[in-house]
Amino acid sequence: AQSVSQHNHHVILSEAASLELGCNYSYGGTVNLFWYVQYPGQHLQLLLKYFSGDPLVKGIKGFEAEFIKSKFSFNLRKPSVQWSDTAEYFCAVNAFQAGTALIFGKGTTLSVSS
Amino acid sequence: DTEVTQTPKHLVMGMTNKKSLKCEQHMGHRAMYWYKQKAKKPPELMFVYSYEKLSINESVPSRFSPECPNSSLLNLHLHALQPEDSALYLCASSQDQGGLGAKNIQYFGAGTRLSVL
């Protein structure tokens, strides 16, 4: 079945460590890609998005993501995490093959220790 | 900050109660969504309204009944819920629905945390 996969279920880092969260999708054709973040007890916030153009997109709070079409991947990165980055991170895809519904990955819990 | 407002923030109800969740947006969006989210899980789509008409119902039990009185408001009426329906209920809106691009970016409300006793 077509899907969105986030390989890391729970990532634990110390402050100032670098972060990379993996996201792979299995839809062909045109896709729109998103990363959402959900801080403890808060709502889903859009971190960044990719529609077309430069495959390296920058989002809020120092996050960036790279779209690699050949690998069907959209990995999230941050050079130096902070304690306040502790949250749940969801990758999501809009694709014509999915009927354009927003398909979420299962999420990655990021815990950052100070 | 989110411009999708959900009320109430928390709701506790018994299995025989009838209650409603409300969602409001003033961004001029014409598509509105209800999602259900369990702890540490991704949101699951329940319903989609496009131009005030129900366009998607993801086989949700009839004890959940959506209503879209106008383009800014979305309600979810609850009746005879089960304890397993306890979850965070999220509302989202987008400028449009059914295509790709910026018009389909979904913006989420803070959610209503529902507990069914």
Side-chain angles (χ1 to χ4, degrees):
Chain A
Q2 296 188 320
S3 66
V4 178
S5 300
Q6 291 182 242
H7 313 297
N8 314 103
H9 180 61
H10 192 180
V11 173
I12 302 172
L13 296 172
S14 299
E15 274 194 316
S18 64
L19 169 72
E20 180 158 3
L21 301 182
C23 174
N24 286 89
Y25 61 93
S26 59
Y27 302 96
T30 304
V31 293
N32 290 168
L33 301 161
F34 307 86
W35 277 97
Y36 282 89
V37 60
Q38 191 169 30
Y39 298 103
Q42 294 191 31
H43 61 280
L44 280 164
Q45 298 177 44
L46 183 63
L47 205 49
L48 46 75
K49 61 189 183 292
Y50 174 80
F51 294 148
S52 63
D54 188 344
L56 186 62
V57 292
K58 295 192 185 299
I60 59 172
K61 307 188 182 191
F63 285 91
E64 64 179 31
E66 185 176 13
F67 170 55
I68 303 179
K69 188 173 182 178
S70 60
K71 294 185 178 180
F72 293 83
S73 69
F74 189 55
N75 292 353
L76 181 71
R77 299 197 291 250
K78 186 170 184 178
S80 176
V81 295
Q82 300 173 309
W83 177 81
S84 57
D85 292 324
T86 295
E88 193 79 14
Y89 291 81
F90 293 99
C91 180
V93 175
N94 264 141
F96 279 123
Q97 286 190 1
T100 69
L102 190 59
I103 309 299
F104 284 90
K106 291 189 174 181
T108 297
T109 302
L110 173 64
S111 300
V112 180
S113 58
S114 55
Chain B
D1 285 347
T2 181
E3 294 183 57
V4 178
T5 305
Q6 290 187 244
T7 55
K9 286 187 171 30
H10 302 274
L11 179 62
V12 179
M13 60 186 289
M15 289 189 284
T16 58
N17 292 158
K18 283 185 182 180
K19 296 286 185 184
S20 297
L21 309 184
K22 296 185 185 304
C23 175
E24 190 168 5
Q25 57 87 15
H26 294 290
M27 294 180 280
H29 289 176
R30 302 313 299 266
M32 296 186 77
Y33 310 77
W34 279 116
Y35 288 86
K36 174 183 177 180
Q37 187 181 24
K38 291 280 201 179
K40 303 287 190 184
K41 300 291 184 187
E44 299 173 19
L45 184 65
M46 300 175 72
F47 302 104
V48 181
Y49 273 83
S50 180
Y51 290 82
E52 299 156 55
K53 287 186 169 38
L54 184 64
S55 64
I56 296 176
N57 177 342
E58 292 287 354
S59 302
V60 179
S62 60
R63 56 185 184 269
F64 295 92
S65 174
E67 179 197 17
C68 189
N70 59 56
S71 60
S72 300
L73 292 174
L74 186 66
N75 298 323
L76 186 63
H77 302 299
L78 314 173
H79 174 55
L81 294 194
Q82 304 296 310
E84 59 264 29
D85 296 322
S86 298
L88 180 67
Y89 287 83
L90 295 167
C91 175
S93 71
S94 62
Q95 192 173 342
D96 209 340
Q97 186 260 335
L100 297 180
K103 290 185 178 181
N104 290 279
I105 296 175
Q106 292 185 30
Y107 297 91
F108 287 82
T112 294
R113 193 161 297 282
L114 174 67
S115 297
V116 181
L117 304 179

